[in-house]
Amino acid sequence: DWSSDVCSSDLTWRTRMKTVAWGLWLFACVTAGLSVLTAAWVAHQPGLGDAALRSLQWALQMQQVHALALLWLSWWTLREGHHTWRLVASLFMALGIVFFSINIEAQQLLSFTLFKAWTPLGGVSLVLGWLVLAAMPLANIQRTKLTRTEPHD
């Protein structure tokens, strides 16, 4: 029976999305915690120049703000269920944290420059996460218009 396959696949999809939401929750918690540890470590490094310090402070601030946003989005998804726009916004923010914040920290603290060219993509990813979040109400309005049925005369 095809209906049992559809129900089974829908259940599998929901289970996967819940797993993704928990993974994003864990990533946000770990990232936020590591940002606090990194900030504490940076505060006690006397050899850092002013430019490196400013760059690190900015990267850590962006990491913390977006980790909190990611925690909120993950909580919202776990509480309300899967929503494609929330998932896309969350993934953009997670990628932004890695390619922007963590990348800058690796450059400044470890002289790791392999992914330096990806830093702007990380910043764009953070912005796209917020833009997707801002577009969610518009998408819901459009979906409501498409599913609404007009009364017949």
Side-chain angles (χ1 to χ4, degrees):
D1 181 331
W2 69 271
S3 63
S4 65
D5 290 342
V6 170
C7 291
S8 172
S9 113
D10 186 47
L11 183 61
T12 303
W13 176 253
R14 280 192 234 157
T15 304
R16 285 183 185 153
M17 290 304 102
K18 195 170 192 175
T19 302
V20 169
W22 277 114
L24 289 167
W25 174 272
L26 180 63
F27 173 78
C29 288
V30 169
T31 300
L34 287 176
S35 72
V36 172
L37 291 174
T38 305
W41 188 77
V42 165
H44 295 13
Q45 295 304 310
L48 289 174
D50 287 342
L53 189 57
R54 276 193 308 277
S55 183
L56 283 165
Q57 288 171 336
W58 183 250
L60 287 165
Q61 182 181 15
M62 290 296 103
Q63 184 175 347
Q64 291 169 345
V65 166
H66 289 88
L68 287 174
L70 195 53
L71 278 171
W72 172 69
L73 285 166
S74 301
W75 170 82
W76 190 9
T77 299
L78 290 166
R79 185 172 182 267
E80 301 293 327
H82 167 258
H83 190 285
T84 302
W85 289 73
R86 267 196 310 265
L87 177 64
V88 171
S90 297
L91 292 174
F92 273 131
M93 287 190 186
L95 288 172
I97 289 170
V98 171
F99 290 124
F100 182 79
S101 296
I102 294 174
N103 197 6
I104 289 173
E105 293 161 27
Q107 290 171 39
Q108 296 299 327
L109 297 173
L110 306 172
S111 299
F112 184 77
T113 58
L114 183 62
F115 300 112
K116 184 177 183 174
W118 292 20
T119 305
L121 295 175
V124 168
S125 183
L126 293 172
V127 171
L128 286 174
W130 289 110
L131 291 176
V132 168
L133 200 56
M136 279 178 58
L138 300 174
N140 287 336
I141 290 169
Q142 187 63 29
R143 185 175 31 203
T144 302
K145 284 181 181 178
L146 291 173
T147 59
R148 186 178 300 147
T149 57
E150 297 297 323
H152 297 286
D153 291 329

